[in-house]
Amino acid sequence: MMSQQNQQPQPIYLKDYQVPAYLIARTELRFELDEEETLVRATLQVRRNPACTRSRAALELHGHESLELCRLSINGEILSERDFSRDEELLTVSAVPEAFTLECLTRIHPEQNTALEGLYKSDGMFCTQCEAEGFRRITFYPDRPDVMSVFRTTVVADRTRYPVLLSNGNPVESGYENDGRHFVTWEDPFPKPAYLFALVAGDLAVLEGSYTTASGRAVKLQIYADSKDLDKLDHAMLSLKRAMQWDEQVYGREYDLDIYMIVAVDFFNMGAMENKGLNIFNTSCVLASPQTTTDAAFQRVEGVVAHEYFHNWSGNRVTCRDWFQLSLKEGFTVFRDAEFSADMNSRTVKRIEDVSLLRTAQFAEDAGPMAHPVRPESFIEISNFYTLTVYEKGAEVVRMLHSLLGAEEFRRGTDLYFERHDGQAVTTDEFVQAMADVSGRDLTQFKRWYSQAGTPRVEVSDSWDEVTGRYQLSFRQSCPATPGQQEKLPFHMPIAYGLLAAGGEELAAGVLELTEAEQSFSFEALPERPVPSLLRGFSAPVKLNYGYSDEQLLHLLRHDSDGFNRWDAGQRISVALMQSLIADYRGGRELLLPDSLVDTWRSLLNDVSLDPAMVAHLLRLPSEAYLAELADVIDVEAIHEVREFLLKALAKALLPEWSAAYSRCSREEPYTPDAAACARRSLKNLSLGYLLATGEEVWLTLAEEQFNNADNMTDQQSALALVVHSGFRQAGERLLAEFQAQWQHEALVMNQWFSIQASDPWPGALERVQWLQEHPLFDARNPNKLRAVVAAFCGQNAVNFHAADGSGYAYLADWIIQLNKQNPQIASRLLTPLTRWKRYPDQVQGLMKNQLTRILDSGELSRDVYEVVSKSLA
Ligand SMILES: [Zn+2]
C-alpha cells in the first residue's frame, strides 16, 4: 500500500467530472456476519460504458484502507498482485475485457468501526450508513452515485442473536445453514447507486402496518426498533401513511416496492437515511410517545419520516450525478417535507420556524469561512457539505421556482422531471431545465442561486406622488464576497409584496421579479400612501432592509394578511430595540424598557382571538444566536445581558397578563400532539418562562407543580429547563435528580437531561459538562450524547463557551482532537463554533485561533477536520 503521510488532502472539482468508464448491471452480495469479522463476497457484472470516450480506461474501484482483500477474480481467473494496484482510496485494474464478471472477497471489522460509516455495530445490532462514501468501507466498488446497479443481497448470521436480517428491496429467499446460522436474500429491482445500499441484522421488534396505493397496490409497512421501544412507533407509522398519501395527491408519486421498512438505530451520525425500501433512522427521529417526547420532537419525527419517504422519488428513482449535485435531492426534498408539514400543521408557524433557522444558522454559514454555493464547485470531504446551505437554502431555491411558476406549472415541471429522468443520475441544471421547458421561461439567470454563495442584501426605498397617486418602490441588490467568489452578479428573485392602506385593507398584492442590480416598480393611482409589506412569506433567502418606522411596523403587525410578515414585523421591532439596548449596555448607560413595547405586547397577550402559537412566536425574544448573526462584531456578554434584562423587565411589566395566559392555556385534558394543543402548550410554557424570570418563589412553586403533574414530556421538560435556566439553583438540582431517577432508562429523554445542563447559561457550566462526561449514561461513541453535551455547550451556551479565559475554546479543541480519529464526521460538525472567530472582537479572535492552530498541529488529521480547520484559518 502506498503511503501519502506527508501530503495534505487535496480538493476535487466539479469541473473535473468525467463519466464512469465502467457500469455495473448487476451486483450480488453475500455477507457472513460475525462478532469477530465479517466476510463480504461481491459478484459484479461489469461492462464498458459506451458513453465513455477514454479508450482503454482502467477499472477503478473505491476501497477504504481498512478493507482486507482476500481474493479478486475476473471471469473466474484469480488476479495476482501484479494485475492490479492499490492505494489508500483506489484499487486499479489496468487491463480488463469489454464485459466481465468480477468477484471480490473482502474481510471487514464492523465491530471496530467507530466512524459509523459503512457497516458497523450499534449496541447489539449490525447496520449500515453508506451515503455519501460509506460503501467503499464494505467492499471494492465504483462508489459514485452515477453508477446505478440492480442489487441482490444475501445476509447470513447467527439465528439467535440476529433473528432479523434486512436489506433493500423485496425478500425472495430465506433458510438455514448447517451450522446454526440462517440467511435471507433480498432483491431490489430498481437500479440504485451504492450509497443507497443498506443492511440491518439484529434482535428487533416490529410494528406492522399496510398502505394501499392510489392504483390499488398493497404495501407492507414495517418499523423495527428495540423491543422496549415498540410502544413508541405509532406516530412514525401514522406519519408514514400520511406522507405516502400526500405524495400521491400533491405530486402524483406512488410507492414502488411491496415493502417499506424503517429501522431505529441508537448510534447514528445523521438524522435518518433514505436507503431504498429500508430507511435507517436515528432513534431521535422515529421514536415518539407523549410521556417521553416533546411536541417539537413529535413534529420532527413527522417531518423526517416524510422527508426520507419522499426521497424514494426525489433522490432514489432520480438521483444525483455527482456529490456536487447533493442539493438536487436534498433541497427539493426539504421543500417537499416543509410543504407536507405545513399542510399537516400550521403553515405560518412552520414557515416562521424554518426561516428562523435559515436566518440564524444558514446566514451565519454564508458569512463564515465554509461559505459555499448551493451547488459547491469543490470539496475535500463531501461529508462537510451536508450543510444548511445545501439543505435549507437549497429548499428556498426550489421554493422560489414554485413562487415564480405557480403551483400548477411547478407540478407540471416536477412531472416532466420525474418522467424524463426516472432511473437516471442527473444535475441541478436538469431540474431547472424541466421547469424552464414547462413554463417557457428563461431560467438562466435564476441558476445563479446554485452557483453563487452568500446571502444577498436588498435595500428598498420608496417615493410617493400625492397628486397622481403614484407609488414607487426602488430595489438595490448586492451580495457580499465569499471565499473564492469576490464579484457576484444580480440574482433573479421573487419579492412577494402587499400594499396596505391606513385602515389595514390591501391596495395591491403580488410578486415582483427582481433581476437587475437596481430596479424600480410603480403603482399608479393609489388613493393614499401605502405601508409596504415586503418579502411576504420570506419569498427569497435575502436580508431585506427598508427604513420602517415603528408606526409602520405596528401597522403590519396588526393588519398584514401575511402571517409570516406580521411575525416578522414584531421581530423587527424587538431586534431594533435590542440593538439599541446593546449599544446602551456597551456605553455604560442605563437600560430602559419603552412603554410602547409593553403596550403592544399587552394587547397581543390579551387578544384571545389570536392563534396561541402565533402569540408565542411573536412574544419570544429574538435568540442570542440571531442577534449575534446580525451584529458586525459579536459582543456575547452584551447580547446575553440585554436579553436577560428584557426578559425580566417584560416579565414584571406584564405579570398579570402572563399569569392569565398561563391559566388560559392550562387545560385538563389528555395529551394530543395536534397543532391546536401544541399551540396552547407553546404559549403556556413561554408564559411560565416569563413568570420565572421575575425570580419570585410563587412561580417556582407553579413550575414545580407543572413538573410533577405533567402527563407529557413537553410540559415536564419545559418546567425543568426553565427552572434550571432561570437560576433557581437548589430547586433546579432537585428537579434534575428527580428527572434522572424517573427517566434513566430512556436514552432519548436523558439526552434532554444532559442538554439542559450543558446549555445552562449560569456560571459553572464548563465544570458541569466535564462532570456530565463522566456520567455512566454518557458515551462518547454515541453521536446523540456528544450533541447533547458538547454541541449543546459550545453551540447553545454562548456566555460560557466564550468565557474570557478561553477555557471553552480549549474544551472544544480537546474534543476535536480526540474525535478526529474516532468519528471524523462528528468531529468536523462539532467544530463549527470555533470557525466563526472572525466575527468576534480582536482579543477573542486570538484565543479562538490558537485552538484552531492547536488542532491543526495535533497530528494527522482526517480529511473532514483538515478541510474545516484549514479553511477557517485561511
Ligand atoms: Zn435528505
Side-chain angles (χ1 to χ4, degrees):
M1 204 182 289
M2 255 175 57
S3 170
Q4 297 180 316
Q5 295 253 321
N6 296 321
Q7 222 174 311
Q8 299 298 6
Q10 295 301 310
I12 63 165
Y13 295 92
L14 169 61
K15 63 178 165 54
D16 293 341
Y17 173 83
Q18 290 190 317
V19 298
Y22 293 88
L23 302 175
I24 314 285
R26 187 169 174 80
T27 300
E28 288 191 34
L29 299 169
R30 179 182 162 93
F31 288 82
E32 301 200 19
L33 302 171
D34 191 75
E35 303 301 306
E36 311 287 321
E37 61 176 36
T38 290
L39 285 175
V40 185
R41 183 190 307 272
T43 309
L44 314 179
Q45 303 301 332
V46 189
R47 65 184 167 86
R48 252 190 84 83
N49 181 4
C52 174
T53 52
R54 286 164 287 154
S55 62
R56 283 196 307 227
L59 173 72
E60 290 188 336
L61 303 173
H62 297 100
H64 189 257
E65 53 186 334
S66 63
L67 293 183
E68 289 175 41
L69 178 62
C70 305
R71 194 171 66 237
L72 184 65
S73 71
I74 286 184
N75 289 334
E77 299 224 2
I78 294 178
L79 302 193
S80 76
E81 302 233 341
R82 287 191 310 275
D83 301 323
F84 62 90
S85 63
R86 185 177 171 193
D87 64 19
E88 285 173 335
E89 292 174 13
L90 286 175
L91 187 157
T92 308
V93 190
S94 48
V96 293
E98 283 287 302
F100 57 96
T101 302
L102 181 131
E103 271 199 319
C104 178
L105 184 66
T106 313
R107 185 183 293 119
I108 56 175
H109 291 277
E111 71 283 356
Q112 293 167 16
N113 180 350
T114 57
L116 313 188
E117 299 171 66
L119 179 64
Y120 64 93
K121 288 199 87 173
S122 166
D123 281 335
M125 67 194 283
F126 286 96
C127 62
T128 53
Q129 170 58 33
C130 293
E131 188 178 356
E133 298 180 335
F135 196 75
R136 61 190 61 184
R137 291 168 179 261
I138 292 176
T139 187
F140 295 92
Y141 198 83
D143 186 8
R144 40 187 291 171
D146 55 357
V147 174
M148 299 173 84
S149 169
V150 169
F151 278 67
R152 181 183 175 95
T153 305
T154 299
V155 188
V156 187
D158 183 87
R159 254 150 78 178
T160 43
R161 273 172 298 170
Y162 308 103
V164 174
L165 305 174
L166 309 175
S167 190
N168 316 84
N170 300 311
V172 291
E173 220 185 315
S174 63
Y176 298 106
E177 308 264 303
N178 295 329
D179 52 6
R181 296 186 300 171
H182 69 145
F183 73 90
V184 179
T185 299
W186 295 80
E187 174 99 35
D188 181 0
F190 293 96
K192 65 167 177 290
Y195 83 87
L196 290 172
F197 170 81
L199 176 159
V200 168
D203 187 359
L204 298 164
V206 62
L207 174 72
E208 299 223 356
S210 65
Y211 182 81
T212 305
T213 66
S215 66
R217 275 190 333 102
V219 180
K220 190 198 274 189
L221 309 178
Q222 294 184 321
I223 307 183
Y224 289 88
D226 196 284
S227 58
K228 74 171 169 46
D229 294 322
L230 194 55
D231 60 341
K232 303 188 190 75
L233 302 175
D234 296 328
H235 184 63
M237 182 63 84
L238 184 66
S239 304
L240 175 59
K241 290 177 185 172
R242 285 178 177 160
M244 293 176 91
Q245 190 173 35
W246 187 89
D247 211 18
E248 289 174 352
Q249 288 166 352
V250 180
Y251 282 88
R253 298 292 119 195
E254 269 191 35
Y255 187 61
D256 47 15
L257 289 163
D258 303 336
I259 182 169
Y260 189 86
M261 298 170 285
I262 292 176
V263 182
V265 169
D266 214 23
F267 285 60
F268 206 66
N269 281 346
M270 314 258 215
M273 177 63 209
E274 71 266 19
N275 317 298
K276 182 79 186 188
L278 177 56
N279 289 185
I280 297 181
F281 272 56
N282 189 319
T283 43
S284 70
C285 294
V286 59
L287 304 183
S289 81
Q291 287 74 36
T292 58
T293 309
T294 61
D295 291 339
F298 260 92
Q299 281 173 11
R300 181 161 162 76
V301 168
E302 181 182 71
V304 177
V305 166
H307 177 96
E308 307 307 334
Y309 173 73
F310 296 154
H311 268 315
N312 190 54
W313 276 96
S314 50
N316 300 1
R317 290 285 287 258
V318 182
T319 194
C320 306
R321 188 193 72 176
D322 53 71
W323 290 120
F324 299 102
Q325 321 294 331
L326 180 58
S327 197
L328 175 80
K329 75 180 180 78
E330 295 306 341
F332 186 22
T333 305
V334 170
F335 172 70
R336 273 149 61 68
D337 84 56
E339 285 296 292
F340 167 74
S341 294
D343 283 347
M344 296 297 122
N345 305 286
S346 158
R347 179 161 286 272
T348 300
V349 167
K350 173 66 179 160
R351 192 67 188 136
I352 289 170
E353 289 166 355
D354 288 351
V355 173
S356 296
L357 174 69
L358 192 85
R359 288 208 293 216
T360 306
Q362 196 279 323
F363 282 13
E365 193 165 275
D366 264 347
M370 286 292 288
H372 55 276
V374 170
R375 188 196 60 206
E377 303 284 327
S378 74
F379 57 75
I380 292 176
E381 171 52 61
I382 183 58
S383 297
N384 285 330
F385 288 80
Y386 284 70
T387 56
L388 290 152
T389 301
V390 166
Y391 277 65
E392 313 300 329
K393 186 175 179 180
E396 295 300 320
V397 173
V398 176
R399 181 177 295 278
M400 286 189 284
L401 282 172
H402 188 274
S403 305
L404 289 170
L405 269 66
E408 260 174 55
E409 228 161 53
F410 181 83
R411 166 66 194 273
R412 289 202 289 122
T414 60
D415 282 353
L416 178 63
Y417 167 74
F418 288 128
E419 183 195 307
R420 195 183 264 175
H421 300 297
D422 190 8
Q424 296 178 7
V426 301
T427 68
T428 55
D429 285 340
E430 270 129 355
F431 182 78
V432 178
Q433 191 57 48
M435 296 295 162
D437 288 348
V438 293
S439 64
R441 278 167 159 266
D442 182 354
L443 296 171
T444 313
Q445 183 184 0
F446 182 83
K447 289 202 283 189
R448 288 177 190 159
W449 285 107
Y450 286 99
S451 58
Q452 294 190 142
T455 307
R457 313 280 159 95
V458 179
E459 301 292 333
V460 190
S461 57
D462 60 355
S463 63
W464 167 245
D465 185 335
E466 189 76 53
V467 180
T468 58
R470 179 177 220 239
Y471 179 69
Q472 184 166 295
L473 281 170
S474 300
F475 295 80
R476 207 173 67 235
Q477 62 159 308
S478 62
C479 185
T482 47
Q485 289 187 339
Q486 290 309 304
E487 303 293 329
K488 311 288 169 86
L489 297 167
F491 290 89
H492 179 183
M493 59 177 82
I495 306 281
Y497 74 97
L499 300 180
L500 273 66
E505 65 275 20
E506 207 158 83
L507 301 174
V511 177
L512 304 172
E513 289 190 30
L514 218 56
T515 51
E516 310 289 326
E518 293 187 35
Q519 210 168 347
S520 294
F521 300 88
S522 293
F523 304 87
E524 307 295 337
L526 297 186
E528 57 180 290
R529 179 175 193 146
V531 176
S533 167
L534 300 166
L535 207 64
R536 280 182 161 179
F538 205 64
S539 59
V542 302
K543 290 185 175 179
L544 182 140
N545 280 314
Y546 165 86
Y548 281 114
S549 66
D550 279 358
E551 290 69 34
Q552 287 177 310
L553 288 171
L554 284 170
H555 192 68
L556 295 177
L557 182 57
R558 284 195 202 101
H559 300 295
D560 203 328
S561 61
D562 184 71
F564 175 84
N565 264 14
R566 293 186 52 210
W567 169 77
D568 199 40
Q571 286 283 294
R572 285 174 188 266
I573 294 171
S574 301
V575 165
L577 171 63
M578 289 170 91
Q579 286 174 332
S580 85
L581 288 172
I582 289 166
D584 289 343
Y585 180 88
R586 291 167 59 89
R589 295 181 289 277
E590 193 190 352
L591 302 184
L592 295 169
L593 172 66
D595 291 338
S596 59
L597 187 75
V598 177
D599 294 340
T600 309
W601 280 39
R602 182 177 288 121
S603 65
L604 290 168
L605 266 169
N606 287 338
D607 187 348
V608 292
S609 71
L610 294 172
D611 171 13
M614 187 67 185
V615 178
H617 276 292
L618 283 166
L619 303 187
R620 184 168 290 124
L621 290 173
S623 67
E624 291 183 16
Y626 185 47
L627 292 164
E629 206 292 308
L630 293 172
D632 292 329
V633 177
I634 301 171
D635 185 334
V636 174
E637 181 193 290
I639 289 173
H640 180 69
E641 292 301 327
V642 160
R643 199 169 181 280
E644 288 297 302
F645 160 78
L646 262 187
L647 266 177
K648 288 192 170 66
L650 286 161
K652 293 203 169 108
L654 295 166
L655 190 57
E657 285 79 11
W658 294 122
S659 174
Y662 183 88
S663 306
R664 198 165 66 235
C665 295
S666 304
R667 288 208 196 151
E668 301 265 334
E669 55 190 33
Y671 176 88
T672 52
D674 60 278
C678 290
R680 279 198 303 278
R681 280 189 290 278
S682 164
L683 181 53
K684 177 173 87 172
N685 287 310
L686 182 86
S687 303
L688 183 62
Y690 278 102
L691 292 169
L692 286 170
T694 61
E696 293 168 10
E697 293 284 328
V698 52
W699 307 117
L700 175 61
T701 309
L702 181 71
E704 288 188 285
E705 277 170 19
Q706 177 174 320
F707 178 88
N708 290 321
N709 302 332
D711 71 341
N712 65 83
M713 185 48 68
T714 306
D715 284 343
Q716 193 184 20
Q717 191 208 294
S718 296
L720 175 67
L722 290 169
V723 168
V724 171
H725 292 179
S726 301
F728 292 97
R729 304 316 284 171
Q730 278 186 341
E733 294 301 330
R734 191 167 64 241
L735 296 193
L736 284 167
E738 285 176 28
F739 194 83
Q740 181 188 349
Q742 187 181 354
W743 296 114
Q744 54 191 329
H745 301 297
E746 292 287 348
L748 295 177
V749 182
M750 287 307 289
N751 291 347
Q752 300 300 321
W753 181 85
F754 279 111
S755 143
I756 287 168
Q757 297 176 75
S759 58
D760 182 355
W762 293 80
L766 182 58
E767 292 73 36
R768 176 65 69 135
V769 290
Q770 280 159 342
W771 174 77
L772 289 172
Q773 283 162 213
E774 303 301 318
H775 194 279
L777 292 176
F778 181 82
D779 181 348
R781 292 166 310 160
N782 185 325
N784 286 351
K785 292 285 182 285
L786 291 168
R787 283 186 272 262
V789 175
V790 185
F793 175 76
C794 302
Q796 297 161 45
N797 197 345
V799 272
N800 280 296
F801 175 65
H802 292 281
D805 61 359
S807 52
Y809 312 141
Y811 166 82
L812 179 53
D814 288 345
W815 267 113
I816 304 304
I817 292 166
Q818 180 190 329
L819 290 170
N820 168 55
K821 283 212 164 57
Q822 179 191 319
N823 188 331
Q825 279 187 11
I826 293 294
S828 146
R829 263 156 204 262
L830 291 176
L831 243 173
T832 306
L834 270 182
T835 64
R836 306 277 158 80
W837 60 273
K838 282 184 185 151
R839 306 286 307 273
Y840 295 88
D842 290 346
Q843 65 276 23
V844 178
Q845 288 191 2
L847 292 169
M848 296 176 84
K849 251 169 87 173
N850 285 347
Q851 295 302 329
L852 285 167
T853 309
R854 205 182 120 218
I855 296 168
L856 193 65
D857 296 341
S858 68
E860 204 182 326
L861 292 184
S862 60
R863 276 198 310 221
D864 308 63
V865 173
Y866 173 78
E867 177 167 37
V868 176
V869 174
S870 59
K871 286 184 177 172
S872 301
L873 286 170

